[in-house]
Amino acid sequence: MKRWFVLVLLLISPAWVQAADPPNIVFILIDDMGWKDMGCAGSTFYETPHIDQLARSGLRFVNAYSASPVCAPSRGAIFSGLHPARTKFTTVYHAGKEAASDDRLYEVSKQRAGKNGQNQMYEALHRHNLPSTATLFSESLRGVGYATGFFGKWHCGSHEDYRPDQRGFEVAIGYRHTHIPTARSRHWGRTFRQYGVGMEDMRDDDYVADYLTDKCIDFIQDSQEKPFVAVLSHYLVHSPIEGKLERVQYFEKKAKADQSNSGYAAMLASVDESVGRIVGCLNELGIAENTLVIFTSDNGGLSPRQTSNYPLLGGKSTCFEGGVRVPLIASWPDVIKAGQVTEERAVGMDYYPTFLEVAEVSVPADQQLDGVSLLPIFKGTQALVRRPLIFHFPHYTGSTSPYSSVVDGGWKLIEFYNDEQGRYLLFDLTKDEGEQQDLSDAYPERVGLMAKLLRDELQSMGAELPVPNPRFNVGAEGLSNRGSNYENAKTHYEGFKAVAGDTN
C-alpha cells in the first residue's frame, strides 16, 4: 500500500479512495519500426524473443496505426492526444535561423514547386513545435502524483519551453538539445554525447540504446515507491544502420527472406534486449503485475531501404498501410489476459485517454482529446465504437506528395492534392490489405461519401491545406498525375512478394 499517495488523494477528494495503488505505466516507443518487424508478427529473419514474450503475456494489436507516416507529428499526437491536423504539427520541422521558436506556423514552409512547375500544390504551413496550448499526458499524470520520466528521442520541439523537462517530465535524459538528423548524431556515445541532454557520463563505446535503457531502469528503481510513468523513446531503428558488430555478423550468416538487412536486424536485436531488461527490472522489483507496458513505433518501417512491410504496401512517409501501420503490444498482468490478439483499430491519439483512465483520472471538461481509451479492449469488456481514422500529411517527401486519407470500416480513401484531375484511390482493406486494386472507378458513390467525410473531419479540426502553385504547368515533362508514387510502391511490393515466395 502506497500510504503517502492515498493520504494526498484523500486530502484532494474523497472520490480518490479507490485509487489506493495506482498502476505504473511504461511506454516504449521505437523509431521507424515496421509492422512486421518482430517474430510474433511473422518475421522469420529478425529475432525478437523478448518482444514476442511480451506479446504472449498480453495483447497484440494487428491494426494499430500511427497518427502520421513520419515521426514528429506522430509523437506529438501520442503526447497530446490531439490529431496533427488540429495542432498544425504535421511534419518534421527544420533547424536553423528560419525555424519558428514558438507556436507560430512556419512561414517559410518548404512549399516546393518542383522542377518546371510540375507540382500543382505548395505544401501546407505547419508548426515547428507541439503547441504550448496542448496539455500533455505527462503533465496530467504528474499533476495527480505520478513520477514522470523521459529517456531518448523527443522531436516535439527543441526550443525553450517546448522540451520534455518543460512539459511535464520531472526527469528527461537523452533528448537532443537541438534538432539535427539522426544520421549526424548516430547511435554511439562518441558521436551522440555532444547532442544528448544529461548524458555527460556516457562513454565513447556506449551504445545509445543501452545507455537510455540504463537510465530508464534507474528511474524505475528510484520511483517504485509511488506510481510512475516512464517513456523509453529509442532512436533505434532509425537510420543510420549501426548495429553491434557481433550481431551484424550473426545475421549475415542467417538465411534471408523478404526481410534481409543484417545491420537492421542487429539494431532490432538491441531493441529486443532493451525490452527484456525493462520487463526483467519490473519483475525483480515485484511491480510487474501492476504495471502497464506499451510497446509501439512512431510510424511504419522505412521500406524498401531498410525493411519489408510486405504484405502491406509502402513504408515510412507514404500514404499506404506500410507507412502508418505499426506494432502495438500491451501487457498488464493484473488486467490484460495473456495471449490475446485483436483486430480493433487503435491510433496514436488513443494513448493519452487510455493512460488517464488507467490512472482513474477524469479528462477535464475543457480539454479536448481526439483519441479514445483502449482500456475496454484491455479488459475485454467491450469493443470500440466504430470511428473513421483520419490521416493528414499535406507535405512532400521522396515517397509521396501532399495527401489526406480516411479509413472507415474496411474501406480506405486517399486524396492526393497534387493531382490536376482531382482523383482518389479507394481500397477495400478487408479483401485487399496490400492496396493492390484501386476501386475508385467502380464505386463512385462511396468515393463521394468518404471524400465528404474526410473534408468535414479536416474542416472540424481547422486543418491547414496545401495551396495552389501559380507556377504549375500542366504540360510539364515528368508530371506525376497522382503525385503518389503508387506504381513505384507496387513495384517494390511485387519484389518483396517474390522474395517471400508468396505465390497467391
Side-chain angles (χ1 to χ4, degrees), residues 146-162:
Y146 270 71
T148 54
F150 182 89
F151 309 90
K153 180 173 178 176
W154 175 238
H155 219 175
C156 290
S158 57
H159 298 290
E160 188 67 25
D161 297 329
Y162 293 94

Side-chain angles (χ1 to χ4, degrees), residues 44 47 101 119 141 250 340 344 346 368 389 415 423 502:
T44 59
E47 297 183 9
S101 59
N119 288 336
L141 292 176
Y250 167 81
Q340 296 185 82
E344 290 275 5
Q368 183 172 22
L389 299 185
E415 176 181 5
R423 292 172 294 184
D502 189 345

Side-chain angles (χ1 to χ4, degrees), residues 37-262:
D37 289 354
M38 50 192 184
C40 59
S43 178
T44 59
F45 182 62
Y46 306 140
E47 297 183 9
T48 55
H50 297 294
I51 297 171
D52 298 344
Q53 176 55 41
L54 188 70
R56 287 191 294 270
S57 74
L59 173 66
R60 182 168 70 90
F61 288 74
V62 297
N63 289 317
Y65 287 82
S66 59
S68 173
V70 297
C71 51
S74 171
R75 291 162 182 268
I78 287 171
F79 292 110
S80 70
L82 298 174
H83 198 287
R86 191 181 301 281
T87 62
K88 319 301 189 287
F89 190 60
T90 48
T91 192
V92 177
Y93 54 88
H94 298 270
K97 62 182 180 181
E98 296 176 341
S101 59
D102 51 28
D103 284 359
R104 290 172 295 174
L105 292 175
Y106 183 41
E107 297 177 355
V108 198
S109 183
K110 288 181 290 185
Q111 292 193 343
R112 289 177 286 185
K115 295 181 180 178
N116 301 317
Q118 69 189 70
N119 288 336
Q120 183 183 4
M121 307 297 288
Y122 285 147
E123 291 189 343
L125 301 180
H126 63 95
R127 288 190 167 111
H128 267 185
N129 303 291
L130 185 59
S132 59
T133 53
T135 301
L136 310 193
F137 71 67
S138 48
E139 296 170 304
S140 292
L141 292 176
R142 183 176 179 179
V144 295
Y146 270 71
T148 54
F150 182 89
F151 309 90
K153 180 173 178 176
W154 175 238
H155 219 175
C156 290
S158 57
H159 298 290
E160 188 67 25
D161 297 329
Y162 293 94
R163 299 164 186 159
D165 56 341
Q166 298 164 318
R167 306 209 67 173
F169 289 102
E170 299 168 275
V171 178
I173 296 172
Y175 67 94
R176 291 175 295 203
H177 57 73
T178 186
H179 173 62
I180 58 169
T182 304
R184 185 172 164 188
S185 55
R186 310 185 77 86
H187 297 296
W188 294 93
R190 67 180 66 89
T191 52
F192 191 94
R193 183 177 55 241
Q194 63 180 308
Y195 303 110
V197 172
M199 304 177 78
E200 295 78 13
D201 61 338
M202 192 179 192
R203 299 166 298 186
D204 285 355
D205 292 334
D206 284 342
Y207 200 50
V208 173
D210 296 341
Y211 182 92
L212 294 175
T213 304
D214 289 342
K215 296 301 181 181
C216 185
I217 288 174
D218 289 345
F219 171 80
I220 291 172
Q221 291 173 335
D222 293 342
S223 305
Q224 61 179 300
E225 295 304 317
K226 64 176 182 179
F228 62 82
V229 54
V231 176
L232 177 55
S233 179
H234 279 298
Y235 290 90
L236 297 179
V237 286
H238 195 291
S239 59
I241 303 298
E242 287 186 337
K244 295 180 180 179
L245 180 59
E246 64 276 12
R247 285 178 171 158
V248 175
Q249 292 172 336
Y250 167 81
F251 284 104
E252 285 177 344
K253 299 174 183 177
K254 187 175 180 180
K256 307 298 191 292
D258 60 308
Q259 296 174 322
S260 59
N261 190 320
S262 299

